Amino acid sequence: MLFTPANHEPLTDAAWNEQRVRDAIRAIAKDAEDALEPGAGWPAHPLDEDEPRVFRTLYLGAAGVVWALAELERRGFAELRRDYVPLLERVLEAEREAPDFDEYDDPERSLLMGECGVVLVLHLLRPEPEREARLAELIAANAQDKRRELMWGSPGTMLAARRLGRGDLWRESADRLLEQWDGESGVWTQELYGRTRRFLGPVHGFAGNVLALAAEPDAALERRAVETLRRYAIIEDNLANWPPELDSPFDGRGGIRVQYCHGSPGMVASLARLAPSDDEHERLLLAGGELTWQTGPLAKGANLCHGTAGNGYAFLQLHERTGDERWLGRARAFAMHALEQVERLRAERGRGRYSLWTGDVGAAHYAADCIAGTSGYPVVDGL
């Protein structure tokens, strides 16, 4: 068994309808604008936080919502009514005074969970030399980060360096990360949440580090990456999955996971561009995509990190790699389901879920990619 059936739900019967999808994207953007608390940001959803709280970061909070809304407007999927620069300036001040996550001694620098992400979105909206200089400071300071993963560590800030066109800063972090890539296991070791771990997926481990390093073409990097991809694949009946960690049971907390952050969807979505075009790797990637399809949408909801929309990026990447329209059709079926999940959760809770990686705007971004037929996972594949 490569998945836990209870983690998934039957796929919707709704057929792909582009106009309906466009309407849903606009409705999500409008709901987000309507729900803004002007003095602070967006309130945390009960599924993200038990107590009332306002998050600020790119992963979970105002910076991510603003980035998503601005991208949807840039791509012609929404028309915004607000200037969000003043909000992000207040958010940035609050982030510096009281970082969202205080488990580390230093103020959090990271792209997804700290100041770097907030400053970067603000700089993308309204570039200023002072913001660019601050980003350079944060990226350089994170080069020595011991967590060695995308959410908190240097791989995330390496993506920011590439977006700024600062190859020098990217190279400093890349050289250190390459030095720490273990040749025997083929992965990195994470010092994360007070534990030593070896993750495989794109959010906390190997696949995310490879994505950050692959910003510059490197045949040796690609060979090492696909060897690790092949080495740790668990294959049954032409289906494939990967464990979240090397040192923990495959069927761990929450059962066997098939989601972007842990499992086949994230591995396929992250590494499909790097694997060589031979029969062996093609079969492996298709086996991971087929498992994602056969398990069905995630019962956890529509979101990018551990929901239906995130899983759908595996299909978009396979469509890009193979040109097979079947994968685009599957991606669009997941988009229809994800949008239904957004509506269902809003009806149950009486409100939307306002974050990029766990909320409604992330699902809207995925739906927009399904219309366009593109495969750019938010933040990871480009800011």
Side-chain angles (χ1 to χ4, degrees):
M1 177 68 75
L2 295 180
F3 69 103
T4 299
N7 289 346
H8 302 267
E9 62 187 39
L11 181 65
T12 179
D13 293 329
W16 173 256
N17 183 317
E18 181 174 327
Q19 188 56 55
R20 179 179 168 188
V21 172
R22 288 183 178 275
D23 291 344
I25 293 170
R26 282 194 293 271
I28 288 171
K30 181 180 184 302
D31 177 65
E33 288 208 285
D34 290 345
L36 176 67
E37 296 179 357
W42 284 273
H45 194 274
L47 293 178
D48 294 320
E49 179 64 36
D50 293 334
E51 300 296 326
R53 185 173 182 180
V54 174
F55 288 106
R56 299 180 284 270
T57 65
L58 190 52
Y59 177 92
L60 186 71
V65 177
V66 170
W67 179 84
L69 291 174
E71 275 295 289
L72 290 173
E73 182 176 54
R74 182 186 67 80
R75 299 173 66 186
F77 290 103
E79 295 181 4
L80 304 185
R81 308 188 306 269
R82 300 175 185 271
D83 174 9
Y84 286 98
V85 168
L87 169 67
L88 287 185
E89 289 175 338
R90 292 192 296 273
V91 162
L92 181 58
E93 182 178 354
E95 176 67 13
R96 288 171 174 167
E97 293 177 354
D100 279 348
F101 297 87
D102 58 2
E103 60 201 86
Y104 303 99
D105 293 334
D106 296 329
E108 187 49 58
R109 299 179 294 262
S110 69
L111 176 68
L112 289 177
M113 290 299 208
E115 183 183 345
C116 183
V118 181
V119 180
L120 181 57
V121 175
L122 188 54
H123 183 63
L124 293 176
L125 291 180
R126 192 165 297 169
E128 290 186 359
E130 294 81 3
R131 290 173 186 149
E132 185 169 352
R134 179 56 179 162
L135 284 168
E137 291 176 6
L138 292 166
I139 295 164
N142 219 35
Q144 306 297 318
D145 192 276
K146 65 182 180 181
R147 290 166 285 192
R148 307 179 193 96
E149 51 88 72
L150 189 144
M151 179 176 278
W152 298 94
S154 62
T157 44
M158 286 167 64
L159 298 179
R162 298 302 300 183
R163 184 62 180 81
L164 289 178
R166 291 294 302 270
D168 57 329
L169 294 174
W170 180 89
R171 174 53 59 189
E172 180 182 359
S173 291
D175 287 344
R176 179 170 174 78
L177 194 62
L178 284 167
E179 289 173 2
Q180 296 172 331
W181 193 351
D182 179 52
E184 182 176 350
S185 68
V187 300
W188 285 265
T189 297
Q190 284 76 44
E191 301 295 335
L192 191 64
Y193 308 130
R195 295 175 57 188
T196 299
R197 313 171 85 162
R198 293 190 296 173
F199 285 105
L200 277 176
V203 179
H204 286 311
F206 156 77
N209 292 2
V210 170
L211 276 172
L213 289 168
E216 289 189 357
D218 185 329
L221 166 75
E222 293 175 9
R223 286 194 299 269
R224 291 183 69 182
V226 297
E227 169 57 31
T228 299
L229 179 74
R230 184 172 59 243
R231 177 178 178 181
Y232 294 112
I234 301 171
I235 303 172
E236 295 179 9
D237 299 325
N238 296 315
L239 303 175
N241 201 358
W242 285 261
E245 299 180 60
L246 297 193
D247 309 304
S248 296
F250 184 41
D251 186 358
R253 179 176 60 87
I256 300 175
R257 283 177 275 187
V258 181
Q259 54 197 51
Y260 180 82
C261 51
H262 299 298
S264 58
M267 300 297 282
V268 172
S270 302
L271 302 177
R273 289 196 184 104
L274 297 183
S277 299
D278 57 60
D279 290 344
E280 179 185 6
H281 293 99
E282 194 85 347
R283 284 194 301 269
L284 183 57
L285 292 167
L286 294 176
E290 193 63 39
L291 177 71
T292 305
W293 174 250
Q294 290 194 20
T295 57
L298 279 157
K300 292 180 180 179
N303 69 83
L304 292 173
C305 186
H306 40 267
T308 301
N311 282 20
Y313 275 102
F315 306 145
L316 288 175
Q317 283 286 357
L318 289 173
H319 174 250
E320 180 179 285
R321 178 184 171 94
T322 67
D324 187 342
E325 291 295 315
R326 175 185 53 157
W327 294 109
L328 180 57
R330 290 178 169 185
R332 287 173 168 175
F334 266 43
M336 296 299 291
H337 192 95
L339 294 173
E340 287 186 4
Q341 287 179 306
V342 169
E343 294 175 359
R344 188 194 317 161
L345 183 61
R346 185 180 297 125
E348 290 172 359
R349 300 282 183 163
R351 49 153 296 173
R353 192 174 182 182
Y354 309 111
S355 76
L356 174 56
W357 278 47
T358 70
D360 302 348
V361 292
H365 196 286
Y366 170 67
D369 282 344
C370 286
I371 291 174
T374 54
S375 58
Y377 191 95
V379 178
V380 174
D381 284 328
L383 280 157

